[in-house]
Amino acid sequence: MTESSGSYYQVLRVPVTATEKEIKVAYRRAARTAHPDHGGDAAAFRRVTKAYETLIDPIRRKAYDRSYAAGTVRGDEAGREPHFDAPAAGSRASATVHRPGNARNTAGDPPVYVPAYDSVPAGDVPLIPLELASQQVHGMPRKRGIFGAEARIQREMRTVQLLTRQVLPAIPAARLINGLQSPADNSHIDHAVLSGYRLALIGSMLLPKGAYAWDGRTLNHGGRAIPPPQLAHVVRAMQDIFPELNVTGWTVVLSPGGNLHEPVIDNHRRSAGGLEAVQVVNAAGMVRGLKEFLAAGPAPNTVNVPVLARLLRGMH
């Protein structure tokens, strides 16, 4: 096993939910196989030891998980569609899937897990159990910090309800992960929706009804400028971490009265190449735009198991 054999969980052949006892048992088994005295390879043994030392220490394991760390693995092992056209340099990841017989999977089709659970080699352990991968919602908003916690939780709960009622039923393979650690700073990503090879990062605001103008940096209302949550740098960081995905950001502006069409958001800035890195929309606009974005991706009915596993590890 070489340095490029995958994440530390893959090195020890344990799921990301592994307990301390399971990690110890897996290490003893892997160390016996990899040790040079038993016909193994010195580099492989160092890799096994490094994986164990990281995962057995709660602090180091948490830091590893929240960095979304993973080794470089072959395309099929990473859960990538094996026949992607390579994206242009410097662009967000996008792909065309070539299928025999012009077959086309749609977002409304039943989920397909990549790699398939029935294809796991004997002796290997799936990164996450099937029952966990089958869940559409992972985690819920929870208190963190001191100031404004209750208001933030209520706002995030409204967004969770919006996504679970309006988006997830239309896309069975979509997976909502709440409360991710930001890879760009010490903040959190309120919500992330993964479907196939597209990932949407979502933040929220609560503003009175009225007409707002989004110019790409601030929301303007009655001569007042309101900066939305800073998502662009987080989108860029996640795109670097997950080059196989197309990553975008969405800020949903909620109305106190619960009207999905309020407030009105006028977008005064459009990108020439399609979606901007971050969209600022009301609830109705997010539901419509997010469904279109996820459904238009390659293999939208795919549950990308390795990517989902890495995201679940990054939850706070």
Side-chain angles (χ1 to χ4, degrees), residues 66-68 181-189 230-238 241:
R66 291 187 173 180
S67 70
Y68 303 96
Q181 180 79 13
S182 168
D185 48 37
N186 292 323
S187 66
H188 291 81
I189 304 168
Q230 300 300 306
L231 270 179
H233 68 299
V234 181
V235 170
R236 288 192 294 269
M238 291 293 272
I241 292 172

Side-chain angles (χ1 to χ4, degrees), residues 142-161:
R142 70 181 201 179
K143 187 173 182 179
R144 57 178 187 267
I146 300 175
F147 302 105
E150 291 304 320
R152 178 189 57 75
I153 290 175
Q154 292 179 14
R155 186 180 70 241
E156 290 183 17
M157 280 301 304
R158 285 184 55 179
T159 306
V160 170
Q161 292 172 358

Side-chain angles (χ1 to χ4, degrees), residues 215-301:
D215 63 7
R217 291 190 177 183
T218 59
L219 279 169
N220 298 289
H221 174 68
R224 179 187 174 200
I226 307 168
Q230 300 300 306
L231 270 179
H233 68 299
V234 181
V235 170
R236 288 192 294 269
M238 291 293 272
Q239 184 67 84
D240 289 341
I241 292 172
F242 296 101
E244 68 270 38
L245 304 180
N246 186 336
V247 184
T248 59
W250 301 73
T251 295
V252 55
V253 183
L254 303 170
S255 167
N259 188 329
L260 302 188
H261 300 276
E262 294 177 347
V264 176
I265 311 293
D266 292 324
N267 196 327
H268 290 174
R269 178 188 174 192
R270 299 286 182 183
S271 64
L275 281 178
E276 297 179 11
V278 179
Q279 300 287 302
V280 178
V281 291
N282 59 25
M286 185 194 69
V287 169
R288 180 177 61 255
L290 195 57
K291 287 166 71 173
E292 291 176 353
F293 169 69
L294 297 175
N301 67 321

Side-chain angles (χ1 to χ4, degrees), residues 63-87:
Y64 177 76
D65 286 347
R66 291 187 173 180
S67 70
Y68 303 96
T72 302
V73 294
R74 295 191 303 271
D76 56 339
E77 291 173 336
R80 301 185 188 186
E81 186 71 35
H83 300 297
F84 277 174
D85 288 339

Side-chain angles (χ1 to χ4, degrees), residues 3 8-9 11 17 41 51 63 67-68 72 89 97 120 129 134 136 150 159 232 236 254 256 265 293 302 310 315:
E3 184 69 20
Y8 288 161
Y9 294 93
V11 169
T17 55
D41 176 77
S67 70
Y68 303 96
T72 302
V97 181
V120 176
S134 301
Q136 277 202 286
E150 291 304 320
T159 306
R236 288 192 294 269
L254 303 170
I265 311 293
F293 169 69
T302 295
R310 291 172 68 187
M315 294 171 62

Side-chain angles (χ1 to χ4, degrees), residues 47-209:
R47 177 74 169 162
V48 166
T49 301
K50 186 176 181 181
Y52 172 73
E53 291 174 347
T54 300
L55 299 184
I56 201 62
D57 184 300
I59 296 177
R60 293 179 64 180
R61 181 178 182 179
K62 183 178 292 187
Y64 177 76
D65 286 347
R66 291 187 173 180
S67 70
Y68 303 96
T72 302
V73 294
R74 295 191 303 271
D76 56 339
E77 291 173 336
R80 301 185 188 186
E81 186 71 35
H83 300 297
F84 277 174
D85 288 339
S91 67
R92 291 197 303 270
S94 62
T96 300
V97 181
H98 303 284
R99 295 185 179 85
N102 295 321
R104 175 173 174 79
N105 295 328
T106 67
D109 289 337
V112 174
Y113 296 90
V114 177
Y117 277 84
D118 57 8
S119 68
V120 176
D124 280 4
V125 177
L127 281 171
I128 50 177
L130 176 58
E131 62 178 314
L132 186 61
S134 301
Q135 296 177 18
Q136 277 202 286
V137 181
H138 299 270
M140 296 297 286
R142 70 181 201 179
K143 187 173 182 179
R144 57 178 187 267
I146 300 175
F147 302 105
E150 291 304 320
R152 178 189 57 75
I153 290 175
Q154 292 179 14
R155 186 180 70 241
E156 290 183 17
M157 280 301 304
R158 285 184 55 179
T159 306
V160 170
Q161 292 172 358
L162 186 66
L163 293 167
T164 54
R165 294 173 182 175
Q166 303 279 349
V167 177
L168 299 189
I171 309 177
R175 299 294 180 260
L176 168 61
I177 305 100
N178 300 299
L180 292 176
Q181 180 79 13
S182 168
D185 48 37
N186 292 323
S187 66
H188 291 81
I189 304 168
D190 295 342
H191 320 281
V193 181
L194 173 70
S195 181
Y197 298 86
R198 292 196 166 186
L199 177 67
L201 309 179
I202 303 168
S204 61
M205 303 176 70
L206 183 66
L207 296 176
K209 65 180 181 180

